Amino acid sequence: MKYCIFAFDRKMVIRFEKDYLKEMYFLGKTTDKKYRFQPQVIRKYIRVIDILDSVSRQEDLFRFNALHYERLKGDKNGLESVRINDQYRIEFRTTVDENLLVICNIIELSNHYKG
């Protein structure tokens, strides 16, 4: 697995598990034709990643009602998610390292209704 790390002098550290997630954030598009999203979905994805970066711990996400932050259950137990829109969500996992940094590992941009 490839990881990309960036931090903007805050406690939350964002990692992208897949290259297409990193490309969408930094370039606004992806080179992998398998992952094509509408421009408004990509813009919202970038905004939500910026929100994730702006908080110091995952509980702060409850303040943003539109994100519908939740801890997932069932076969996705251990993952958390926030909504991009009614159709898409970002799935991620947070951990705390020995320096009390909250590490947010972005796992997937998924179609909420396809599972």
Side-chain angles (χ1 to χ4, degrees):
M1 281 195 249
K2 296 180 182 178
Y3 292 98
C4 177
I5 303 172
F6 71 94
F8 296 116
D9 299 326
R10 295 186 181 102
K11 294 179 184 178
M12 182 81 77
V13 175
I14 306 294
R15 293 182 177 171
F16 296 98
E17 186 169 299
K18 298 176 181 162
D19 288 337
Y20 86 93
L21 297 166
K22 178 179 73 169
E23 289 175 349
M24 281 192 347
Y25 182 75
F26 288 107
L27 303 176
K29 61 182 179 178
T30 178
T31 56
D32 189 340
K33 293 182 184 196
K34 180 180 175 184
Y35 301 103
R36 296 291 171 129
F37 298 96
Q38 296 291 327
Q40 65 270 22
V41 172
I42 294 173
R43 282 192 300 272
K44 185 72 186 233
Y45 168 79
I46 292 168
R47 273 191 242 137
V48 172
I49 295 294
D50 287 342
I51 291 171
L52 289 172
D53 181 58
S54 73
V55 299
S56 59
R57 56 196 180 105
Q58 63 268 36
E59 288 82 7
D60 293 340
L61 294 171
F62 286 117
R63 294 181 312 168
F64 301 93
N65 293 331
L67 295 180
H68 299 282
Y69 169 71
E70 63 181 330
R71 292 184 173 106
L72 301 177
K73 300 174 186 163
D75 62 338
K76 294 190 179 217
N77 192 31
L79 294 179
E80 301 158 73
S81 77
V82 289
R83 297 276 178 90
I84 295 292
N85 59 23
D86 289 338
Q87 184 178 3
Y88 291 98
R89 69 181 176 188
I90 297 173
E91 296 175 3
F92 60 96
R93 180 177 292 113
T94 55
T95 56
V96 178
D97 78 357
E98 63 276 356
N99 296 320
L100 298 179
L101 287 173
V102 177
I103 299 169
C104 179
N105 188 31
I106 308 297
I107 307 292
E108 189 73 60
L109 176 59
S110 66
N111 186 324
H112 180 66
Y113 294 104
K114 288 187 178 179

